[in-house]
Amino acid sequence: MLKELTEWNYFDSYYFQKLNKLSESEAKRNISHLKQLQEIRDYKIKQERQRQEEQERKRKDISISINELKEIFLNLFSGKDQNGKEINAQRRGYLFEEFLKKLFLNEGIEVTEPFKIVGEQIDGSIKYDGEHYIIEAKWHDKWSASDSLYQFAAKVEGKMYGRGVFISINGFSPDSVQALTTGKALRTILLDGGDLVPITEGMYTLREMLDNKIKAAQTMGRIYVDSTNLADKVIRQ
């Protein structure tokens, strides 16, 4: 029907000229406007299809088994790359980001590359369940303290409907988590190595973990929980 309307070119003289109840020029303007709307819609559909195809291509390009992901993860804990070569802290941080990217894409979660905006470095972002989350990933030899969390929280709060996922391999100090949540809007969920290990072991999926984390934040006000034991309310705080 839409195709027929946009291609309409017959204007019966009886109604348009003789009775003068309809305006041919107005009808043509409306048809032209409808064509423009259709073109805009078709362009957006094409863009979305291309975006989905690109995500699928990326996923296939890095398609990797859970056992391979587990091996990469264990090597990082040993301070080695995928080839068993010793790596420094900076290199390990970079490889950790690459590991997370593969983990997300492996489950069909849309990922963007790291990017910079004025005064900020963003490790990347994901689109999950229709929402965009900016990502920060840290591989430190001790838990992440307040400074890192505050800086990340400021990045999240500076975005429209901002949400964030902060991943610290060795967790977070209890004081920093409490300070981040007391009297503040909850826009960030926290992950650590304990959340990632069961995923690499195939005990549950990344999507299941994120669902549990988000549910805990939205229903219990908890941003740092043991996502495998939410039914028993085992909270790390």
Side-chain angles (χ1 to χ4, degrees):
M1 181 181 291
L2 181 61
K3 186 174 185 297
E4 290 178 357
L5 284 174
T6 56
E7 295 178 352
W8 191 274
N9 58 12
Y10 174 68
F11 303 94
D12 194 317
S13 59
Y14 178 77
Y15 295 100
F16 286 88
Q17 279 84 39
K18 187 174 182 179
L19 296 180
N20 200 29
K21 287 187 175 182
L22 299 174
S23 169
E24 184 174 342
S25 60
E26 183 179 353
K28 288 181 177 179
R29 283 197 302 271
N30 289 337
I31 291 173
S32 177
H33 182 60
L34 186 61
K35 284 182 180 179
Q36 292 175 355
L37 292 176
Q38 183 187 31
E39 289 172 358
I40 292 172
R41 184 207 63 176
D42 291 346
Y43 176 72
K44 289 183 177 179
I45 291 174
K46 181 180 178 181
Q47 278 190 317
E48 176 63 17
R49 186 180 296 114
Q50 289 175 340
R51 184 190 64 78
Q52 291 178 354
E53 289 174 353
E54 176 65 14
Q55 285 295 313
E56 181 64 16
R57 185 192 63 76
K58 286 182 179 180
R59 190 188 69 79
K60 289 180 178 179
D61 285 347
I62 65 158
S63 182
I64 189 170
S65 71
I66 195 66
N67 286 332
E68 290 173 302
L69 284 168
K70 176 182 177 181
E71 183 179 355
I72 293 172
F73 195 49
L74 291 176
N75 279 339
L76 290 175
F77 267 108
S78 301
K80 298 177 181 179
D81 63 15
Q82 196 169 355
N83 299 316
K85 183 179 179 181
E86 297 287 339
I87 52 177
N88 58 29
Q90 183 178 7
R91 177 66 175 165
R92 182 164 62 178
Y94 170 77
L95 291 177
F96 183 44
E97 291 178 11
E98 288 295 302
F99 163 80
L100 291 172
K101 177 182 175 182
K102 291 177 180 179
L103 192 62
F104 284 120
L105 287 175
N106 208 46
E107 292 199 24
I109 298 174
E110 182 179 339
V111 181
T112 67
E113 300 293 336
F115 57 91
K116 288 184 179 181
I117 56 179
V118 178
E120 293 182 0
Q121 169 68 40
I122 306 296
D123 287 348
S125 69
I126 61 170
K127 184 177 181 181
Y128 183 72
D129 199 22
E131 299 287 348
H132 294 273
Y133 294 76
I134 64 173
I135 302 293
E136 182 113 351
K138 300 289 185 184
W139 191 300
H140 292 157
D141 291 332
K142 58 182 180 180
W143 60 29
S144 289
S146 301
D147 289 349
S148 296
L149 280 178
Y150 289 157
Q151 290 171 8
F152 182 68
K155 293 179 184 179
V156 173
E157 290 172 4
K159 313 297 182 292
M160 184 174 67
Y161 307 118
R163 293 189 179 195
V165 178
F166 194 116
I167 307 167
S168 173
I169 199 66
N170 283 307
F172 306 85
S173 68
D175 290 344
S176 64
V177 176
Q178 183 176 1
L180 188 65
T181 57
T182 303
K184 298 179 179 66
L186 303 182
R187 298 181 178 178
T188 298
I189 58 173
L190 308 180
L191 280 63
D192 62 20
D195 295 309
L196 299 177
V197 168
I199 296 173
T200 61
E201 293 287 348
M203 295 171 61
Y204 62 94
T205 67
L206 177 60
R207 286 180 175 273
E208 290 171 334
M209 184 270 290
L210 288 174
D211 285 341
N212 285 338
K213 291 276 189 176
I214 294 167
K215 179 181 178 181
Q218 292 179 338
T219 63
M220 296 189 291
R222 303 286 188 173
I223 64 171
Y224 189 38
V225 301
D226 185 342
S227 60
T228 63
N229 291 298
L230 280 181
D232 300 323
K233 297 185 179 178
V234 178
I235 310 300
R236 289 202 187 95
Q237 267 180 248

